[in-house]
């Protein structure tokens, strides 16, 4: 619980940069030709930020992270589809309360067939199933950040 509070300035500044990352990014992390850039580092896209962090930290031990399961292009696609505001909200929740938010995330993340399109989080519930408190908390964090979040109730097929 004290991780983010001990590093509040650093975490806050990084999350602000993620939230305001350049919106018109390309998968390779470059900016479009006509994007005004006062400071190239200040206006990096989410894709470029991910690529830089991946290159700098790949293989380092990190709680909750399995490097062998991460594919950089898929991460870039996902970040692009979600947008900086949603990515920052997810990172903020995990930084502020990793124990509370290390479970309960929606079951599915549906990505459109092109990186610049939308994404949708889906929590699947069966008959007689209900949302747990942690699932409600995740849905709230995501929805407040502007993510498309849905609870899909399914019935048993006979």
């Amino acid at each position: 619980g004290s991780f983010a509070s001990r590093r509040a300035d650093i975490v806050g500044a990084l999350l602000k940069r993620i939230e305001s990352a350049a919106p018109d990014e390309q998968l390779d992390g470059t900016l479009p030709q006509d994007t005004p850039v006062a400071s190239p580092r200040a206006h990096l896209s989410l894709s470029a930020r991910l690529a830089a962090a991946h290159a700098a930290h790949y293989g380092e031990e990190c709680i909750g992270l399995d490097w062998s399961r991460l594919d950089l292009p898929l991460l870039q696609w996902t970040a692009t589809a979600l947008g900086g505001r949603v990515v920052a909200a997810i990172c903020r929740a995990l930084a502020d309360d990793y124990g509370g938010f290390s479970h309960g995330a929606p079951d599915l993340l549906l990505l459109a067939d092109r990186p610049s399109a939308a994404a949708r989080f889906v929590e699947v519930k069966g008959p007689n199933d209900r949302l747990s408190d942690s699932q409600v908390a995740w849905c709230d964090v995501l929805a407040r950040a502007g993510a498309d979040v849905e609870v899909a109730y399914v019935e048993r097929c006979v």
Side-chain angles (χ1 to χ4, degrees):
S2 64
F3 175 86
S5 62
R6 286 190 317 229
R7 298 161 181 86
D9 293 342
I10 296 168
V11 170
L14 180 57
L15 292 176
K16 185 175 274 190
R17 287 194 302 271
I18 291 170
E19 188 171 348
S20 63
D24 295 320
E25 62 199 20
Q26 299 168 353
L27 261 186
D28 63 3
T30 61
L31 296 175
Q33 297 276 359
D34 59 345
T35 303
V37 179
S39 164
R41 188 91 175 118
H43 294 286
L44 285 177
S45 68
L46 288 173
S47 291
R49 288 190 181 285
L50 270 169
H54 191 271
H57 301 289
Y58 185 86
E60 291 179 9
E61 187 173 338
C62 182
I63 294 172
L65 180 62
D66 179 358
W67 288 104
S68 66
R69 296 179 63 182
L70 298 177
D71 175 68
L72 181 58
L74 181 57
L75 288 173
Q76 290 172 303
W77 184 314
T78 303
T80 299
L82 293 175
R85 188 170 173 210
V86 174
V87 172
I90 292 167
C91 292
R92 167 65 70 196
L94 291 168
D96 287 347
D97 182 10
Y98 183 78
F101 282 100
S102 62
H103 56 283
D107 295 315
L108 304 172
L109 174 59
L110 306 177
L111 297 172
D113 62 352
R114 59 187 191 283
S116 61
R120 174 180 290 165
F121 290 96
V122 180
E123 177 59 37
V124 180
K125 291 292 165 197
N128 303 318
D129 201 0
R130 67 170 190 82
L131 291 172
S132 68
D133 291 342
S134 60
Q135 290 169 326
V136 170
W138 264 118
C139 289
D140 184 58
V141 164
L142 295 167
R144 286 178 186 263
D148 185 0
V149 183
E150 176 181 330
V151 179
Y153 292 93
V154 296
E155 295 182 20
R156 186 167 192 251
C157 293
V158 190

